[in-house]
Amino acid sequence: IAGITQAPTSQILAAGRRMTLRCTQDMRHNAMYWYRQDLGLGLRLIHYSNTAGTTGKGEVPDGYSVSRANTDDFPLTLASAVPSQTSVYFCASSPAGGGKGLDEQFFGPGTRLTVL
Amino acid sequence: GQNIDQPTEMTATEGAIVQINCTYQTSGFNGLFWYQQHAGEAPTFLSYNVLDGLEEKGRFSSFLSRSKGYSYLLLKELQMKDSASYLCAALNSNYQLIWGAGTKLIIKP
């Protein structure tokens, strides 16, 4: 089934630990995105990638890093987790990226992360 | 700064019509999106407007006024399954989506 998957579904993590959230899409979309969603706030863009091999910073990039070695995968790494990174993380992809008009984003099911 | 405003919560009756408003202020503007998000699930795309006017898609319609920085989502013939949060998002000059906090729509029988 075509779509976008994320792993793990949920995770409880001790502060200071390193964690990588995985995201894979099989739709051959050019662009991919990582968002966090917190209660009472809109989705906030952490990092994005308009095409394999390139990445960019979003609105809240501090404490996070990404890589885009190929079209399908876009992992998000927390180098040293802090409690303020407790959130629901959504990965998304879109066909075009980079400012090409209507470019609907398709979202993965999300990862619920708790940092204690 | 960039900002999207939409009501936090609305209540409507099954079979009725509801209008969810959204105002936006962004650095540049390249279109307005509406997404639906059921509790505990991922957002899913509903509509996109870039020109002024009304776009109709079945029971859902979306309106945009660029001069007023205003959009609304109109839901007709409400069904219980329409109970969800509705997210307004504006595409800025960097082609990044700026998201509102969402409007939780509660449908009562």
Side-chain angles (χ1 to χ4, degrees):
Chain A
I1 298 177
I4 184 165
T5 59
Q6 294 183 235
T9 303
S10 65
Q11 181 76 43
I12 299 174
L13 190 66
R17 297 296 294 269
R18 181 183 179 90
M19 175 75 192
T20 295
L21 308 185
R22 299 185 298 279
C23 175
T24 299
Q25 54 104 358
D26 62 1
M27 297 177 282
R28 308 304 293 171
H29 285 173
N30 280 324
M32 297 187 75
Y33 315 83
W34 273 105
Y35 291 95
R36 58 178 290 172
Q37 187 174 40
D38 302 291
L39 199 62
L41 298 177
L43 287 161
R44 290 183 290 170
L45 183 65
I46 304 171
H47 285 285
Y48 65 95
S49 168
N50 283 331
T51 188
T54 70
T55 62
K57 293 182 179 180
E59 182 185 355
V60 289
D62 294 344
Y64 306 94
S65 64
V66 291
S67 62
R68 187 89 183 278
N70 57 59
T71 298
D72 299 345
D73 301 300
F74 191 43
L76 176 75
T77 298
L78 289 67
S80 178
V82 294
S84 62
Q85 292 178 312
T86 294
S87 188
V88 179
Y89 290 86
F90 285 103
C91 180
S93 69
S94 65
K100 296 181 176 65
L102 169 56
D103 194 29
E104 175 189 344
Q105 293 187 16
F106 295 80
F107 285 78
T111 294
R112 185 174 296 275
L113 181 67
T114 303
V115 183
L116 302 176
Chain B
Q2 303 188 96
N3 194 52
I4 307 286
D5 284 320
Q6 52 181 130
T8 303
E9 187 174 296
M10 299 181 70
T11 301
T13 304
E14 190 177 14
I17 299 173
V18 71
Q19 178 176 311
I20 303 173
N21 296 324
C22 169
T23 58
Y24 64 88
Q25 279 184 305
T26 53
S27 55
F29 179 76
N30 284 295
L32 195 291
F33 289 79
W34 285 95
Y35 280 75
Q36 181 190 59
Q37 186 178 26
H38 284 101
E41 298 183 6
T44 55
F45 170 79
L46 285 178
S47 68
Y48 170 74
N49 295 67
V50 67
L51 301 176
D52 286 356
L54 189 68
E55 294 277 346
E56 296 186 77
K57 192 186 294 186
R59 293 188 300 115
F60 292 11
S61 303
S62 56
F63 172 83
L64 176 67
S65 169
R66 294 177 66 130
S67 62
K68 295 182 179 178
Y70 168 70
S71 174
Y72 67 72
L73 181 69
L74 191 72
L75 292 74
K76 303 176 185 176
E77 301 168 15
L78 286 170
Q79 302 175 9
M80 297 304 293
K81 68 178 182 179
D82 298 330
S83 293
S85 288
Y86 292 85
L87 314 181
C88 174
L91 197 61
N92 68 10
S93 57
N94 292 327
Y95 291 92
Q96 291 183 359
L97 280 175
I98 307 301
W99 297 80
T103 298
K104 182 178 180 180
L105 178 63
I106 300 168
I107 310 295
K108 295 186 174 180

Coordinates of all heavy atoms in Angstrom, one line a residue, chain A residues 10-50:
Chain A
S10 N 5.3 5.2 19.3 CA 5.4 6.0 20.5 C 6.7 5.6 21.2 O 7.2 4.5 21.0 CB 4.2 5.9 21.4 OG 4.1 4.5 21.9
Q11 N 7.2 6.5 22.0 CA 8.5 6.2 22.7 C 8.6 7.1 23.9 O 8.2 8.3 23.9 CB 9.7 6.6 21.7 CG 11.0 6.3 22.3 CD 11.4 4.8 22.3 OE1 11.1 4.1 21.4 NE2 12.0 4.4 23.4
I12 N 9.0 6.5 25.0 CA 9.4 7.3 26.2 C 10.9 7.3 26.3 O 11.5 6.2 26.2 CB 8.7 6.7 27.5 CG1 7.2 6.7 27.3 CG2 9.2 7.4 28.7 CD1 6.5 6.0 28.4
L13 N 11.5 8.4 26.5 CA 12.9 8.6 26.4 C 13.4 9.4 27.6 O 12.8 10.3 28.0 CB 13.2 9.4 25.1 CG 14.6 9.5 24.6 CD1 15.2 8.1 24.2 CD2 14.7 10.4 23.4
A14 N 14.6 9.0 28.1 CA 15.2 9.7 29.2 C 15.9 10.9 28.6 O 16.5 10.9 27.5 CB 16.2 8.8 29.9
A15 N 15.8 12.0 29.3 CA 16.5 13.3 28.9 C 18.0 13.0 28.7 O 18.6 12.2 29.5 CB 16.3 14.4 29.9
G16 N 18.6 13.6 27.7 CA 20.0 13.4 27.4 C 20.3 12.3 26.4 O 21.4 12.2 25.9
R17 N 19.3 11.4 26.2 CA 19.5 10.3 25.3 C 19.4 10.8 23.8 O 18.7 11.7 23.5 CB 18.5 9.2 25.5 CG 18.6 8.5 26.9 CD 19.9 7.8 27.0 NE 20.1 6.7 26.1 CZ 19.7 5.4 26.4 NH1 19.2 5.2 27.6 NH2 19.9 4.5 25.6
R18 N 20.0 10.0 22.9 CA 19.9 10.3 21.5 C 18.8 9.4 20.9 O 18.6 8.3 21.3 CB 21.2 9.9 20.8 CG 21.3 10.1 19.3 CD 22.6 9.6 18.8 NE 22.7 9.8 17.4 CZ 23.2 10.9 16.8 NH1 23.6 11.9 17.5 NH2 23.3 10.9 15.4
M19 N 18.0 10.0 20.0 CA 16.9 9.2 19.4 C 16.7 9.6 17.9 O 16.8 10.8 17.6 CB 15.6 9.6 20.2 CG 14.3 9.1 19.6 SD 14.2 7.3 20.1 CE 12.8 6.8 19.0
T20 N 16.4 8.6 17.1 CA 16.2 8.8 15.7 C 14.8 8.4 15.4 O 14.4 7.2 15.7 CB 17.2 8.1 14.8 OG1 18.5 8.7 15.0 CG2 16.8 8.3 13.3
L21 N 14.0 9.3 14.9 CA 12.6 8.9 14.4 C 12.7 8.6 12.9 O 13.3 9.4 12.1 CB 11.7 10.1 14.6 CG 11.6 10.7 16.0 CD1 10.5 11.7 16.1 CD2 11.4 9.6 17.1
R22 N 12.1 7.5 12.5 CA 12.3 7.1 11.1 C 11.0 7.5 10.3 O 9.9 7.5 10.8 CB 12.5 5.6 11.0 CG 13.8 5.2 11.8 CD 14.1 3.7 11.6 NE 13.1 2.8 12.2 CZ 13.0 2.5 13.4 NH1 13.8 3.1 14.3 NH2 12.0 1.7 13.9
C23 N 11.2 7.8 9.0 CA 10.2 8.1 8.1 C 10.5 7.6 6.7 O 11.6 7.9 6.2 CB 10.0 9.6 8.1 SG 8.7 10.2 6.9
T24 N 9.6 6.9 6.1 CA 9.8 6.3 4.8 C 8.5 6.5 4.0 O 7.4 6.2 4.5 CB 10.1 4.8 4.9 OG1 11.3 4.6 5.6 CG2 10.3 4.2 3.5
Q25 N 8.7 6.9 2.7 CA 7.6 7.1 1.8 C 7.9 6.3 0.5 O 9.0 6.2 0.1 CB 7.3 8.5 1.5 CG 8.5 9.3 1.0 CD 8.4 9.6 -0.5 OE1 7.6 9.2 -1.2 NE2 9.4 10.4 -1.0
D26 N 6.8 5.7 -0.1 CA 7.0 4.9 -1.3 C 6.3 5.6 -2.4 O 5.9 4.8 -3.4 CB 6.6 3.5 -1.1 CG 5.2 3.3 -0.7 OD1 4.4 4.3 -0.6 OD2 4.7 2.2 -0.5
M27 N 6.0 6.8 -2.4 CA 5.3 7.5 -3.4 C 6.2 8.3 -4.4 O 5.7 9.0 -5.3 CB 4.3 8.5 -2.8 CG 3.3 7.8 -1.9 SD 2.1 8.9 -1.0 CE 3.2 9.5 0.3
R28 N 7.5 8.1 -4.2 CA 8.5 8.8 -5.0 C 8.3 10.3 -5.0 O 8.6 11.0 -6.0 CB 8.5 8.3 -6.5 CG 8.5 6.8 -6.6 CD 9.7 6.2 -5.9 NE 11.0 6.6 -6.6 CZ 12.2 6.4 -6.0 NH1 12.3 5.8 -4.9 NH2 13.3 6.8 -6.7
H29 N 7.9 10.8 -3.9 CA 7.7 12.3 -3.7 C 9.1 12.9 -3.6 O 10.0 12.4 -2.9 CB 6.9 12.6 -2.5 CG 5.4 12.4 -2.7 ND1 4.5 12.5 -1.7 CD2 4.7 12.0 -3.8 CE1 3.3 12.2 -2.2 NE2 3.4 12.0 -3.5
N30 N 9.2 14.1 -4.2 CA 10.5 14.9 -4.1 C 10.7 15.4 -2.7 O 11.8 15.4 -2.1 CB 10.5 16.0 -5.1 CG 10.9 15.5 -6.5 OD1 11.7 14.6 -6.6 ND2 10.3 16.1 -7.5
A31 N 9.6 16.0 -2.1 CA 9.8 16.8 -0.9 C 9.3 16.0 0.3 O 8.4 15.3 0.3 CB 9.0 18.1 -1.0
M32 N 10.0 16.2 1.4 CA 9.7 15.6 2.7 C 9.8 16.7 3.8 O 10.6 17.6 3.7 CB 10.5 14.4 3.0 CG 10.2 13.3 2.0 SD 11.0 11.7 2.4 CE 9.9 11.1 3.7
Y33 N 9.1 16.5 4.9 CA 9.0 17.4 6.0 C 8.9 16.8 7.3 O 8.3 15.7 7.4 CB 7.7 18.3 5.8 CG 7.5 18.8 4.4 CD1 6.8 18.0 3.5 CD2 7.9 20.1 4.0 CE1 6.6 18.5 2.2 CE2 7.6 20.6 2.7 CZ 7.0 19.8 1.8 OH 6.7 20.2 0.6
W34 N 9.4 17.4 8.4 CA 9.1 17.0 9.7 C 8.5 18.1 10.5 O 9.0 19.3 10.4 CB 10.4 16.6 10.4 CG 10.9 15.2 10.2 CD1 11.9 14.8 9.5 CD2 10.3 14.1 10.9 NE1 12.0 13.4 9.5 CE2 11.0 13.0 10.4 CE3 9.2 13.9 11.8 CZ2 10.7 11.7 10.8 CZ3 9.0 12.6 12.2 CH2 9.7 11.5 11.7
Y35 N 7.3 17.8 11.1 CA 6.6 18.8 12.0 C 6.5 18.2 13.4 O 6.5 17.0 13.6 CB 5.2 18.9 11.5 CG 5.0 19.6 10.1 CD1 4.9 18.9 8.9 CD2 4.9 21.0 10.0 CE1 4.7 19.5 7.7 CE2 4.7 21.6 8.8 CZ 4.6 20.9 7.7 OH 4.4 21.5 6.5
R36 N 6.3 19.1 14.3 CA 5.9 18.8 15.6 C 4.5 19.4 15.9 O 4.3 20.5 15.4 CB 6.9 19.1 16.7 CG 7.3 20.6 16.8 CD 8.3 20.8 18.0 NE 7.6 20.6 19.3 CZ 8.3 20.6 20.4 NH1 9.6 20.8 20.5 NH2 7.7 20.4 21.6
Q37 N 3.7 18.7 16.6 CA 2.4 19.2 16.9 C 2.2 19.2 18.5 O 2.2 18.1 19.1 CB 1.3 18.4 16.3 CG -0.1 19.0 16.4 CD -1.2 18.3 15.6 OE1 -1.2 17.1 15.5 NE2 -2.1 19.0 15.0
D38 N 1.9 20.3 19.0 CA 1.7 20.5 20.5 C 0.4 21.1 20.7 O -0.1 21.9 19.9 CB 2.8 21.4 21.1 CG 4.2 20.9 20.8 OD1 4.6 19.8 21.4 OD2 4.9 21.5 20.0
L39 N -0.2 20.7 21.8 CA -1.6 21.1 22.2 C -1.7 22.6 22.2 O -0.9 23.3 22.8 CB -1.9 20.5 23.5 CG -3.4 20.5 23.9 CD1 -4.2 19.6 22.9 CD2 -3.6 20.0 25.3
G40 N -2.7 23.1 21.5 CA -2.9 24.5 21.4 C -2.1 25.3 20.4 O -2.2 26.5 20.3
L41 N -1.2 24.6 19.8 CA -0.3 25.2 18.8 C -0.5 24.6 17.4 O -0.9 23.4 17.4 CB 1.2 25.1 19.2 CG 1.6 25.8 20.5 CD1 3.1 25.5 20.7 CD2 1.3 27.3 20.4
G42 N -0.2 25.3 16.4 CA -0.3 24.7 15.1 C 0.9 23.8 14.8 O 1.9 23.8 15.6
L43 N 0.8 23.0 13.8 CA 2.0 22.3 13.3 C 3.1 23.2 13.1 O 3.0 24.3 12.5 CB 1.7 21.5 12.0 CG 0.7 20.3 12.2 CD1 0.1 20.0 10.8 CD2 1.5 19.1 12.7
R44 N 4.3 22.8 13.6 CA 5.5 23.7 13.4 C 6.5 22.9 12.6 O 6.9 21.8 13.0 CB 6.0 24.2 14.7 CG 5.1 25.2 15.4 CD 5.7 25.7 16.7 NE 5.7 24.7 17.7 CZ 6.4 24.9 18.9 NH1 7.0 26.0 19.1 NH2 6.3 23.9 19.8
L45 N 7.1 23.5 11.6 CA 8.0 22.8 10.7 C 9.4 22.8 11.4 O 9.9 23.8 11.8 CB 8.1 23.6 9.4 CG 9.0 23.0 8.3 CD1 8.5 21.6 7.9 CD2 9.1 23.9 7.1
I46 N 10.0 21.6 11.4 CA 11.3 21.5 12.1 C 12.4 21.5 11.0 O 13.3 22.4 11.0 CB 11.4 20.1 12.8 CG1 10.3 20.0 13.8 CG2 12.7 20.0 13.5 CD1 10.1 18.6 14.5
H47 N 12.3 20.6 10.0 CA 13.2 20.6 8.9 C 12.5 20.1 7.7 O 11.4 19.5 7.8 CB 14.4 19.6 9.2 CG 15.4 20.1 10.1 ND1 16.4 21.1 9.8 CD2 15.7 19.8 11.4 CE1 17.1 21.3 10.8 NE2 16.8 20.5 11.8
Y48 N 13.0 20.4 6.5 CA 12.4 19.9 5.3 C 13.5 19.6 4.3 O 14.7 19.9 4.5 CB 11.5 21.0 4.7 CG 12.2 22.3 4.2 CD1 12.6 22.4 2.9 CD2 12.5 23.3 5.1 CE1 13.3 23.5 2.5 CE2 13.1 24.4 4.7 CZ 13.5 24.5 3.4 OH 14.2 25.7 3.0
S49 N 13.0 18.9 3.2 CA 14.0 18.5 2.1 C 13.2 18.6 0.8 O 12.2 17.9 0.7 CB 14.5 17.1 2.3 OG 15.2 16.7 1.2
N50 N 13.6 19.5 -0.1 CA 12.9 19.6 -1.3 C 13.3 18.5 -2.3 O 12.5 18.3 -3.3 CB 13.2 21.0 -2.0 CG 12.4 22.1 -1.3 OD1 11.3 21.9 -0.7 ND2 12.9 23.3 -1.2

